[in-house]
Amino acid sequence: MPSTPQSARTADAVGARRARISGAVVVTLGAALLVAPLAALPAAAAAEPGVVINEIESNGDVTDWIELVNTSLSPVDVSGWVVKDNDDTRVDAIPAGTVIEPGGFFVFTEPDMTFGLGMADAARLYLADGTTLVDGYEWTQHAATTYGRFPDGTGPFVTTTTSTPGAANAYTPISTPTATPTDDPAAGLIVVNEVESNGDDTDWVELANVSDTDIDLTGYVLRDNDDAKHYALPSGSAVPAHGILLIDQLTAHSPGFDFGLGGADMVRLFAPDGVSLVASYAWTVHAATSYGRCPDGVGEMRETTVTTKGAPNNCALPVGINEVESSGGTPGDWIELVNLSGAAIDASGTVVTDSDVVGHRYVLPAGSEIAAGGYLVLDEAAFGFGLGAADAVHLFDVDGTTELDATSWTAHAGTTWGRCTDGTGPFTETAAATKGAANRCAGEIVVGAWPGGSDVRILDDEATFSGDLSGLDYAGGSLWAVENGNGLLYRLVETGEKWLPASGWASGKKLRYPGGGGTVDAEGVTVLGDSVYVSSERNNVQGSVSRPAVLRYDDVAASGELVASAEWNLAPDFAGLGANAGLEGITWIPDADLVADGFVDARTGAAYDPADYPGHGGGLFFVGVEGTAAVYAYALSSDGTFSRVATIETPFALVADVQYDRGILWVVCDEACDGRTATYEVDSGGAFAATNVYARPAGMANVANEGFAIGSSCVGGVAETFYADDADTDGFSLRGGTLACTTGSDPEPTPTPDPTETPEPTESPEPTGSPEPTGSPEPTGSPTVSPEPTVVVPDEDALTEGNRGTIDAPSEVRPGGTIRVELDPALAGDTVHVWLFSEPTDLGAAVVGADGSITVRIPASVPAGEHRLVITDADGAILAWTEIRVVGGALAVTGGDATGTAVPVIAGILALVAGAALLRRGRRATV
């Protein structure tokens, strides 16, 4: 998932500038440039002196572009000259009649430029023979603005201040920062107070004000160790006297800085000029907790005991009580301490007591060291007193009075009394005694070893792909892959020990939206019969606009570009989702499997009934969303409408891919979660519940595996596995391993039948069979299902001023539109029912988000006029209501439920539902 798309985008939204960069644009600079030799250019450049690459836009909002400049004193005709990126197969020629005047510029862009520029790419300029190199520049990541020469035409490439297509480059040289500039009011008064870089939820930075007056930091610039990454603090960023300002990372629902903090990184705060350094802190490895000042604002930075986001730092010795055995231990009672830091600590001299803090005291002897993240067990024989049925344990610092930790209980635990989750959670009865090891907690899934071989092998030839390879799917003996930057679909076949592009697929096939436009940011892929379904985050031609969509391609064997035959744009269900936070993986589960497993439709609260979703084919699509780190089940109807049927929360920081295989739903995270994978199966309550969380294979480095697929055949008890590395590490994007075919709760799973009777896509341009995923056989037998819940219709006469409750919704909405409804935050996690009056219209049930909100779609069939939106509980009791006016005709949107019954959906990331798996002390390494 590149931070910005690797495809065609526009340099500027302003009409005048857009006009300036379309077609063969030549702009004269006049005498601003001088003729000078370019030492960095190859000797071949002397063939046509003076014309060089001057500025490059690779992450444009709408289109990429390459700017040339003529540094000579004579006009230069560049007609027919050749422009390439880092792939020799992508070749474009400059239009005939293009002459660049002395000191003038030429911007090469769409439609003459047919390829996009990637995150790690190059721009190369050749003479018309296509072999004589004139100039070139390579980069390893997108510039926040553009890469440009400074001074124009003669200087080295730098990250510009702003993009200037067809004009002189804009650049303010960054002076060597000084730690204590004298001209900024915040200098010496604002310090970095705490830094979280391991991204348990997000990365974040705390700034502390050590002065006696408030300091406004509006417009100040936050950077990590890369000058190209920056975040300007918004209006209102004031730090109170002796107070703290929290700067958080951007999420789908909250503003913040849009870059991650790495294992060896730094944070720097600059004055609004972007040059004067106000405060900074650097580190070489992630802290297990955070780095913070002890005491706040004035102490040295060190690893904290626990993170204290937006609150005073915890500067105590990072040791705590983790588990207690008060009855029946071996050889007696014991107390387990845990080191909460990432470095070894010496706990010698600290004091442990029971509830008698005066009479029962044990001082830890010299040499009581605890390894980083490790445990130290104190046995009853050493501390000399027993622990009772109603007792306590206290841990004091070496002064004997400063309490570091404490816990108490009123009865012996059946197992032990310990923290859940291990080390940091509240105390409760554990699932099992784990003396000297991580606690085992009810409902918690331990990260297990990969259930297959430890070896991993390279499956592609070096430089087969140039990066951005994303989703994978195995079908009919072929491996299907998508590349998100240039919007490409690949069909790969086994070739000896490798999996390489099939004949006619060497460069992939460009994916277009219905009608033939745009460039699909292809992130996930699944194959059904003759059709290929692709999940996407956005149209790369409009890279800053979220467009979380599923697209269907039917005639994939056709030569040339592939145009989608259908699109389901799920944007109405994901209000506020970032353009780089949308759909990642996609897979399909047959209705027959879902019904047989007792799957419950979260929309209705009853057993899933395929007949509720006419025209949806024979199964549901499951999509993983990066920005919410969740998986969603959708019925995609043939008329373009869609309905969300389930939401599956995951324990991961993001979802990179999903796969359904042999009755198991696999949810994949990339290097952000150390390459972990979770499995889900339908539980007794009819919901998909996590059954395992697996580490990556031992032989797999922690690379950016965004794609995962499982081969259909079991040979010798194992199936092949495939991984797509978005970063093309060491020049390779495709790796393979193995998986035990018995993985899952069923030791002998029955292979899932094909979803249709149609064959897999072939080279034939005329596919056989229906492109729709229909034809799944009806399940035999009558599975036991829960009875339909009774829906209580509220009485309209009961709507009074006294029960309006807490509710905030827009005053007007169009039929088919989506609105955000804010309720009392105390309802967070509760299931509510939504109604529209005057004629009672059931809009379905929704779970209230953590912020007290839900999102509601108004049916397209609702007549214009005054209505009332009513929220009730499960028993029909009115919780809140408000007036709402439906105006105008139905919205013209692709997708959405336009059939008369809208579905409330959760807006925001929900807390994990009961029974969902939690990763033990999981941490995300942001790189």
Side-chain angles (χ1 to χ4, degrees), residues 4 83 200 394 647 862:
T4 43
V83 180
D200 290 344
H394 297 265
T647 299
V862 172

Side-chain angles (χ1 to χ4, degrees), residues 367-627:
S368 297
E369 292 191 354
I370 311 177
Y375 308 90
L376 176 64
V377 175
L378 311 177
D379 282 307
E380 183 180 352
F383 55 76
F385 48 84
L387 300 173
D391 210 338
V393 173
H394 297 265
L395 174 65
F396 295 96
D397 210 338
V398 292
D399 60 9
T401 58
T402 302
E403 189 171 80
L404 301 177
D405 200 5
T407 184
S408 61
W409 57 94
T410 58
H412 289 305
T415 51
T416 57
W417 184 247
R419 291 191 180 275
C420 288
T421 55
D422 182 72
T424 58
F427 276 92
T428 188
E429 187 166 323
T430 63
T434 54
K435 186 177 182 180
N439 293 348
R440 293 293 303 274
C441 302
E444 181 184 73
I445 293 180
V446 180
V447 178
W450 176 251
S454 60
D455 294 336
V456 174
R457 61 191 180 95
I458 301 292
L459 297 182
D460 59 335
D461 289 333
E462 188 171 3
T464 300
F465 308 98
S466 58
D468 291 337
L469 199 67
S470 193
L472 296 175
D473 194 36
Y474 181 93
S478 295
L479 186 63
W480 298 83
V482 289
E483 189 249 74
N484 56 58
N486 292 297
L488 300 174
L489 174 69
Y490 287 90
R491 177 174 170 258
L492 310 176
V493 294
E494 192 170 14
T495 308
E497 296 292 318
K498 302 293 182 68
W499 284 79
L500 302 175
S503 176
W505 292 83
S507 299
K509 295 186 179 181
K510 192 80 168 182
L511 298 174
R512 299 295 190 186
Y513 285 91
T519 298
V520 177
D521 178 69
E523 299 286 354
V525 60
T526 193
V527 178
L528 297 176
D530 285 341
S531 298
V532 174
Y533 292 78
V534 172
S535 55
S536 174
E537 291 186 321
R538 60 185 171 267
N539 175 4
N540 281 340
V541 177
Q542 295 177 310
S544 63
V545 179
S546 178
R547 187 171 175 174
V550 176
L551 299 108
R552 187 181 72 222
Y553 297 86
D554 294 329
D555 191 10
V556 297
S559 60
E561 297 182 346
L562 303 179
V563 178
S565 58
E567 178 186 11
W568 293 267
N569 185 349
L570 308 182
D573 276 8
F574 295 99
L577 191 67
N580 196 40
L583 305 192
E584 286 290 327
I586 183 171
T587 193
W588 184 82
I589 301 181
D591 285 340
D593 287 14
L594 295 169
V595 172
D597 290 341
F599 176 60
V600 170
D601 185 338
R603 178 173 174 268
T604 64
Y608 170 62
D609 183 356
D612 289 342
Y613 304 98
H616 83 285
L620 299 181
F621 288 87
F622 286 66
V623 294
V625 176
E626 178 184 355

Side-chain angles (χ1 to χ4, degrees), residues 226-252:
D226 183 352
D227 286 333
K229 300 175 183 176
H230 55 84
Y231 172 64
L233 272 60
S235 176
S237 298
V239 194
H242 300 288
I244 292 171
L245 175 68
L246 174 68
I247 308 173
D248 211 341
Q249 192 175 25
L250 176 71
T251 68

Side-chain angles (χ1 to χ4, degrees), residues 820-883:
R820 177 184 174 91
V821 180
E822 297 181 1
L823 305 173
D824 187 343
L827 296 173
D830 291 353
T831 298
V832 297
H833 223 82
V834 186
W835 298 84
L836 196 65
F837 283 85
S838 54
E839 291 296 327
T841 302
D842 182 5
L843 302 188
V847 179
V848 181
D851 60 353
S853 71
I854 59 175
T855 299
V856 177
R857 284 203 307 274
I858 303 300
S861 59
V862 172
E866 300 294 337
H867 298 266
R868 280 179 283 186
L869 190 71
V870 182
I871 312 297
T872 69
D873 64 14
D875 298 323
I878 296 170
L879 300 174
W881 66 275
T882 188
E883 293 87 356

Side-chain angles (χ1 to χ4, degrees), residues 542-927:
Q542 295 177 310
S544 63
V545 179
S546 178
R547 187 171 175 174
V550 176
L551 299 108
R552 187 181 72 222
Y553 297 86
D554 294 329
D555 191 10
V556 297
S559 60
E561 297 182 346
L562 303 179
V563 178
S565 58
E567 178 186 11
W568 293 267
N569 185 349
L570 308 182
D573 276 8
F574 295 99
L577 191 67
N580 196 40
L583 305 192
E584 286 290 327
I586 183 171
T587 193
W588 184 82
I589 301 181
D591 285 340
D593 287 14
L594 295 169
V595 172
D597 290 341
F599 176 60
V600 170
D601 185 338
R603 178 173 174 268
T604 64
Y608 170 62
D609 183 356
D612 289 342
Y613 304 98
H616 83 285
L620 299 181
F621 288 87
F622 286 66
V623 294
V625 176
E626 178 184 355
T628 64
V631 178
Y632 304 86
Y634 275 94
L636 304 181
S637 298
S638 57
D639 63 357
T641 62
F642 54 84
S643 298
R644 184 184 293 180
V645 181
T647 299
I648 305 168
E649 302 294 340
T650 79
F652 295 142
L654 57 85
V655 174
D657 205 356
V658 289
Q659 279 288 339
Y660 180 70
D661 182 78
R662 299 171 178 86
I664 298 172
L665 177 64
W666 295 77
V667 178
V668 180
C669 188
D670 59 15
E671 82 278 12
C673 310
D674 292 325
R676 289 171 175 157
T677 304
T679 59
Y680 285 77
E681 298 177 68
V682 178
D683 63 14
S684 59
F688 276 89
T691 51
N692 293 281
V693 176
Y694 295 118
R696 64 183 186 273
M700 175 77 76
N702 189 27
V703 296
N705 284 330
E706 288 199 7
F708 175 71
I710 302 172
S712 61
S713 301
C714 283
V715 179
V718 297
E720 279 191 282
T721 54
F722 305 90
Y723 302 85
D725 176 7
D726 176 77
D728 196 46
T729 304
D730 299 326
F732 300 99
S733 293
L734 197 63
R735 295 172 176 80
T738 58
L739 172 69
C741 292
T742 56
T743 300
S745 58
D746 180 359
E748 295 182 0
T750 302
T752 302
D754 289 336
T756 71
E757 298 299 323
T758 57
E760 302 297 339
T762 65
E763 293 299 325
S764 170
E766 295 296 329
T768 59
S770 169
E772 290 294 329
T774 60
S776 297
E778 290 296 322
T780 58
S782 300
T784 301
V785 299
S786 302
E788 287 283 341
T790 301
V791 178
V792 181
V793 182
D795 183 357
E796 185 178 11
D797 293 336
L799 302 180
T800 67
E801 290 299 318
N803 59 15
R804 276 186 176 270
T806 301
I807 184 170
D808 186 18
S811 59
E812 292 187 349
V813 64
R814 294 171 64 90
T818 301
I819 59 172
R820 177 184 174 91
V821 180
E822 297 181 1
L823 305 173
D824 187 343
L827 296 173
D830 291 353
T831 298
V832 297
H833 223 82
V834 186
W835 298 84
L836 196 65
F837 283 85
S838 54
E839 291 296 327
T841 302
D842 182 5
L843 302 188
V847 179
V848 181
D851 60 353
S853 71
I854 59 175
T855 299
V856 177
R857 284 203 307 274
I858 303 300
S861 59
V862 172
E866 300 294 337
H867 298 266
R868 280 179 283 186
L869 190 71
V870 182
I871 312 297
T872 69
D873 64 14
D875 298 323
I878 296 170
L879 300 174
W881 66 275
T882 188
E883 293 87 356
I884 189 168
R885 181 176 176 80
V886 177
V887 296
L891 291 172
V893 296
T894 301
D897 186 348
T899 58
T901 301
V903 184
V905 293
I906 302 168
I909 303 174
L910 302 185
L912 290 179
V913 296
L918 298 175
L919 278 179
R920 170 168 294 138
R921 302 177 72 184
R923 299 190 181 280
R924 175 173 63 82
T926 305
V927 294

Side-chain angles (χ1 to χ4, degrees), residues 41-94:
L41 293 180
E48 289 288 346
V51 174
V52 298
I53 296 172
N54 192 56
E55 189 176 3
I56 301 165
E57 167 68 276
S58 68
N59 67 351
D61 293 336
V62 178
T63 188
D64 295 342
W65 47 267
I66 299 169
E67 179 191 81
L68 309 181
V69 65
N70 180 4
T71 65
S72 75
L73 298 178
S74 302
V76 177
D77 187 347
V78 294
S79 303
W81 287 25
V82 173
V83 180
K84 302 179 183 179
D85 62 358
N86 63 357
D87 186 344
D88 285 329
T89 66
R90 294 195 277 265
V91 179
D92 288 329
I94 296 175

